[in-house]
Amino acid sequence: RVQSAICQLFRESLYSQGFVEIHTPKLIAGESESGAGVFTTDYFGTTACLAQSPQLYKQMAISSDLDRVFEIGPVFRAENSNTRRHLCEFTGLDLEMAINEHYMETLEVVHNMFKHIFENLETRWAKELEVIRTQYESEPVTFTDEPCVLHWPEAMEILKEKGFDMGDELGDLTGAMELALGAAVKEKYCTDFFMLDKYPSNIRPFYTMPDPADTRFSNSYDMFIRGQEICSGAQRCHDPDLVTEIINQKGIEIGDGLKTYIESFRHGVSPHAGAGIGLERVVFLYLGLDNVRKASMFPRDPNRCAP
């Protein structure tokens, strides 16, 4: 019921902000996420993949003059991750939007959407939350009125003060680092929900826009509840020549799927940004559950493919 409520509130907020719901294919010709494992299957004599996200298709929707789009649908990740917060199949809440001046416009839209979810869960679904909280103790998520956005250098300083060795400061965060950062942000800014901006380019997918001031970093962000990631996003690279260059730098083969994606930008596309959210992870962290599998009716992990 809480899953259903979050999907309903996600739709309500985005419809009110001018979005259109789309439905993209889950059988695709190639990988949609560099770095994420992919399931493959025979497709009438050729190899197809189960979509790791609707990423390429929601960007192509922007190039077709749908300025703001979202989708709720299954996401597949062939990653042998046996942790309490990973699934091989989950429900993705995805959005993409054209931007006018800066990708902060997207952060504001997503912040408004999460505010709508957090506020209405506690009022319109108070009865359901009360029942759940008799077994799994949790408090309502605290959040700021305006987006709470940390930049990568500030996060590095906080983590070094907490005793972490950040090396060259261009590596990804571990789970322990994220939890420590979340605790520090809660203490400093009095919020459970925050955004971390300007991730290093080398740990982000090929479609991420590099920071024009320093290409070691990117116009990308993650969002966190209680020190754990629930959402990843970025301004996308809408220049076909630049995205081709980045794909080649990352050593990715440009197959038919990527060729079509790149060509969709050649006749002009608005600068755009977006985000992908894991539904089960939002439920898991909002309700203070001890395992993401408890937020899924029929969880799929490396050891479970039934019922």
Side-chain angles (χ1 to χ4, degrees):
R1 288 176 180 172
V2 174
Q3 265 200 18
S4 174
I6 290 172
C7 289
Q8 178 179 333
L9 294 168
F10 178 78
R11 283 191 170 99
E12 284 178 3
S13 177
L14 295 186
Y15 279 139
S16 73
Q17 296 184 77
F19 282 73
V20 173
E21 184 168 7
I22 61 172
H23 303 91
T24 62
K26 304 309 165 201
L27 280 170
I28 62 174
E31 297 181 33
S32 49
E33 295 277 345
S34 55
V38 61
F39 290 107
T40 59
T41 185
D42 176 71
Y43 193 73
F44 304 103
T46 63
T47 300
C49 303
L50 294 180
Q52 300 148 302
S53 85
Q55 183 57 49
L56 308 187
Y57 295 98
K58 59 181 182 170
Q59 287 187 252
M60 292 166 74
I62 301 297
S63 73
S64 68
D65 279 347
L66 290 171
D67 287 340
R68 293 184 168 199
V69 299
F70 76 87
E71 178 172 12
I72 298 178
V75 173
F76 303 91
R77 300 285 170 88
E79 297 173 341
N80 192 14
S81 296
N82 294 280
T83 75
R84 68 189 192 97
R85 64 177 192 163
H86 285 93
L87 293 170
C88 293
E89 178 183 352
F90 61 90
T91 301
L93 310 178
D94 277 88
L95 64 95
E96 203 77 21
M97 57 179 275
I99 56 177
N100 295 316
E101 295 182 5
H102 195 277
Y103 66 93
M104 179 57 72
E105 298 161 28
T106 302
L107 296 182
E108 290 169 353
V109 164
V110 176
H111 181 77
N112 288 336
M113 179 267 294
F114 272 115
K115 276 178 61 180
H116 184 72
I117 291 173
F118 298 155
E119 290 171 345
N120 284 276
L121 275 178
E122 294 296 332
T123 54
R124 292 158 59 183
W125 282 270
K127 181 180 177 181
E128 287 81 358
L129 292 179
E130 182 182 2
V131 172
I132 293 166
R133 284 169 174 160
T134 61
Q135 184 172 1
Y136 298 99
E137 185 178 346
S138 68
E139 296 292 330
V141 166
T142 57
F143 53 91
T144 51
D145 191 49
E146 297 297 321
C148 178
V149 183
L150 272 72
H151 296 291
W152 191 259
E154 181 182 358
M156 294 300 100
E157 289 304 313
I158 289 172
L159 290 171
K160 284 189 285 187
E161 288 174 6
K162 296 293 182 183
F164 290 97
D165 179 5
M166 304 312 296
D168 62 4
E169 301 185 4
L170 297 177
D172 207 352
L173 303 183
T174 65
M177 290 174 184
E178 291 179 354
L179 287 169
L181 185 62
V185 170
K186 179 66 180 280
E187 182 179 350
K188 185 174 182 180
Y189 298 106
C190 300
T191 178
D192 292 316
F193 175 64
F194 69 96
M195 306 173 181
L196 178 57
D197 187 28
K198 297 294 181 187
Y199 272 75
S201 295
N202 66 296
I203 60 173
R204 302 303 270 197
F206 67 83
Y207 46 76
T208 306
M209 179 66 80
D211 182 348
D214 185 347
T215 56
R216 293 179 304 157
F217 299 95
S218 61
N219 293 351
S220 67
Y221 39 84
D222 280 358
M223 302 181 193
F224 299 83
I225 290 179
R226 310 190 207 273
Q228 296 192 61
E229 178 216 329
I230 55 161
C231 171
S232 187
Q235 179 184 356
R236 318 305 185 183
C237 186
H238 60 279
D239 180 324
D241 294 328
L242 179 56
V243 77
T244 300
E245 179 184 332
I246 295 171
I247 289 171
N248 289 331
Q249 286 174 355
K250 289 184 177 289
I252 300 170
E253 182 182 349
I254 300 179
D256 291 341
L258 283 180
K259 285 178 184 175
T260 306
Y261 163 75
I262 295 167
E263 285 302 311
S264 73
F265 298 155
R266 292 207 179 274
H267 298 292
V269 61
S270 300
H272 55 282
I277 302 152
L279 172 61
E280 289 85 353
R281 196 174 285 190
V282 175
V283 174
F284 153 57
L285 293 172
Y286 193 92
L287 297 179
L289 306 180
D290 57 359
N291 197 301
V292 71
R293 291 159 184 80
K294 293 180 178 177
S296 174
M297 186 175 290
F298 301 106
R300 291 291 177 262
D301 61 32
N303 301 305
R304 185 179 340 203
C305 198

